[in-house]
Amino acid sequence: MSTGSVSSTEHHHAHHFNSAEHEFDASMLGIWLFLCTEILMFGGLFVAFFIYHAKYPEVFAAGAATLDWKLGALNTIILLISSYTMAMGIHSCQTNKGKKAFNYLAVTFVCGLGFMVIKAIEYSGKIGHGFLPGKFFHPHDATFEAANQALYYSFYFMMTGLHGLHVIIGMGLIAWVAIRAKRGDFSSKFYTPVEGVGLFWHLVDLVWIYLFPLLYLVG
Amino acid sequence: MAHVIPAKSYFNVLMVLFVLTVLTVLVARPVSGIDLGIFSDAIAFLIATVKATFVAAIFMGLKYQKKLHTVCLVSGVFFLLLLFLVSKIDIASRVLEQSTL
């Protein structure tokens, strides 16, 4: 991308765009269209959740009672903080503070890691009790009244699993933009990758904002 | 390029989100002990939607971006509501066959 006369870290818009602004707008529209497909993917699970919740409320109430809402609330707070630091990371790039941007992005990454550690603690607890989805559901130290109690854990693991996968992918992307920010790739003139990764990370937060009350509190 | 949102706005939104999270927990049945039936679902969902709106408008910057980006988000939500509605109608209008065994 660079020519001999300019620094290698300076970004130049691709030749098929009229200007840097044109390139930025096209990238943003692309990200938003991708986020729309993400909403539809998670949405399918949410629609199924609402339909079965209305049909078997007692199954979901008994299932939610086996979760620790305090861990869910803690994870909510962690993700909200990470969304804030992500937004501040972009803000730092926009105001030409590359070093600050790296720090904010690093905190965001650590928050993602903290979220996954808490999730792992929760998962190992559920697996230890035999609270697994579908045919793998074999509770050995608890009794449930409903015959189809496994349904709740199918939703729990599918929804939090898909969300967790997004957190892991998001952490990888954040690490990538953090390294680039440290290298000095971003400035007020070019920060498209940070903005794109930020939008993805906020969507992950958005999904959890709905998952927390649905899985942990309502039932 | 894009509008630079003041850092103070981000911090204020974070504080609002904290307050709403506490509210979500406080009104929930396992914590408050108040059983509002299907309304507890609706209240939890309503608070979540208020939180989601703050995240989308300020953190994601939709408020200051092109309307087209909001159209992308809202069209996704719209088709989701359509999926929910049509699925509900399908299930509610099914005629269950009685077993003759």
Side-chain angles (χ1 to χ4, degrees), chain A residues 20-21 24-25 28-29 32-33 35-36 39-40 42-44 46-47 50-51 53-55 61 69 73 76-77 80-81 83-84 87-88 90-91 94-95 188-192 195 199-200 202-203 205-206 209-210 212-214 216-219, chain B residues 1-8 10-12 14 17-18 21-22 24-25 28-31 40-41 44-45 47-53 55-56 58-62 65-66 68-70 72-73 75-77 79-81 83-84 87-88 91:
Chain A
E21 179 122 23
F24 179 78
D25 286 350
M28 284 306 108
L29 182 58
W32 276 104
L33 284 172
L35 294 189
C36 180
I39 288 169
L40 292 172
F42 278 104
F46 277 104
V47 168
F50 283 124
I51 286 169
H53 186 207
K55 210 168 161 64
W69 67 265
T76 306
I77 298 292
L80 290 178
I81 292 170
S83 253
Y84 167 74
M88 287 306 292
I90 297 167
H91 182 84
Q94 287 173 329
T95 49
S188 62
K189 289 192 177 66
F190 176 71
Y191 54 87
T192 314
E195 177 91 27
L199 288 174
F200 178 76
H202 292 314
L203 186 93
D205 187 24
L206 220 59
I209 284 175
Y210 283 99
F212 169 57
L214 285 187
Y216 291 77
L217 297 175
V218 168
Chain B
M1 296 266 256
H3 176 84
V4 179
I5 301 168
K8 187 101 182 85
Y10 289 134
F11 185 76
N12 290 343
L14 181 67
L17 291 172
F18 280 166
T21 303
V22 171
T24 311
V25 171
R29 194 165 57 91
V31 183
S40 43
D41 278 42
F45 203 72
I47 298 172
T49 303
V50 173
K51 286 168 77 178
T53 308
V55 171
I58 310 296
F59 279 177
M60 297 173 100
L62 271 184
Q65 291 171 16
K66 297 190 166 178
L68 190 56
H69 299 168
T70 310
C72 280
L73 184 79
S75 65
V77 175
F79 280 103
L80 213 53
L81 285 174
L83 174 69
F84 177 69
S87 304
K88 267 287 193 194
I91 290 162

